[in-house]
Amino acid sequence: AYLGSKSLSVSNFDVAYSRGWTGKGSTIVIADTGANTGHVDLDGKIKHTNDFTGNGINNSATHGTHVAGIAGAERNGVGGHGAAFDADLAIAKVSSGTSYSFSNAIKAAAWCKTIGSVAINVSAEVNYDTGFRKSIVKTATGVYHSTHWISDESSYNGAENEAVNWKSALGDEQVLIKAAGNAGWDYSA
């Protein structure tokens, strides 16, 4: 309820808009459950689609449609508009239902490079075990590290190698936008 009534003040989008930053000339990729490509707030925005699941870009696409709307729904006088309402959207279907495929998301990031994307949104988190979560230490605002004794590149599903894989897939011109706080933690898993 708080965000429903305070979303502009929490997001500071008004500051970006006052500087002319509306997403114009940019492509944002939503790596999620696909999207309803015929939705009234998205139909003129979606310029690219790629289904990495083989289940159809519109099939089981409720979450992805919602996320695409938050990012770039049209400013058309119907309902709300997205944060970057002038941006083009690309939809990468990387999951179906409740399980998220980070391996498909990395493939989507590599695809995004080929279409000139500036950002890819991943609205999902890894559910690490209790031992790992208890080992997380805050170093500074927004900076965390693990003190776990198995903190090496092969631990926790190869998390450090995953960072290298993401860097390679993203290249030098894309930003990874990652969900944070969905699980109630102060850091993004």
Side-chain angles (χ1 to χ4, degrees), residues 107-124:
K107 292 175 193 171
W111 168 68
C112 298
K113 268 194 308 196
T114 69
I115 61 170
S117 161
V118 297
I120 179 172
N121 182 82
V122 172
S123 187

Side-chain angles (χ1 to χ4, degrees), residues 3-181:
L3 287 179
S5 63
K6 305 285 186 186
S7 57
L8 191 58
S9 65
V10 170
S11 67
N12 292 316
F13 293 145
D14 57 328
V15 175
Y17 300 155
S18 72
R19 296 176 181 172
W21 300 341
T22 61
K24 189 171 182 78
S26 301
T27 298
I28 301 169
V29 178
I30 308 300
D32 211 291
T33 62
N36 175 356
T37 57
H39 191 285
V40 66
D41 287 330
L42 301 176
D43 57 358
K45 308 293 290 170
I46 299 173
K47 305 300 182 193
H48 308 275
T49 62
N50 197 336
D51 179 8
F52 291 89
T53 69
N55 293 324
I57 205 78
N58 289 300
N59 187 30
S60 300
T62 305
H63 189 264
T65 302
H66 180 78
V67 173
I70 291 169
E74 298 171 15
R75 189 173 185 183
N76 58 7
V78 178
H81 61 75
F85 56 84
D86 279 336
D88 291 334
L89 295 175
I91 305 298
K93 185 169 186 176
V94 299
S95 66
S96 297
T98 58
S99 67
Y100 192 90
S101 172
F102 284 94
S103 63
N104 278 347
I106 288 175
K107 292 175 193 171
W111 168 68
C112 298
K113 268 194 308 196
T114 69
I115 61 170
S117 161
V118 297
I120 179 172
N121 182 82
V122 172
S123 187
E125 292 190 87
V126 174
N127 190 15
Y128 288 119
D129 64 49
T130 304
F132 180 76
R133 288 195 316 264
K134 288 181 177 179
S135 77
I136 299 297
V137 174
K138 183 176 182 177
T139 306
T141 302
V143 179
Y144 298 85
H145 70 275
S146 172
T147 59
H148 196 279
W149 65 274
I150 313 182
S151 187
D152 65 24
E153 62 191 43
S154 63
S155 64
Y156 298 104
N157 301 315
E160 289 188 26
N161 288 333
E162 283 294 296
V164 171
N165 294 340
W166 275 103
K167 172 62 179 147
S168 175
L170 290 165
D172 294 331
E173 301 299 322
Q174 281 191 102
V175 175
L176 172 64
I177 309 301
K178 175 77 174 54

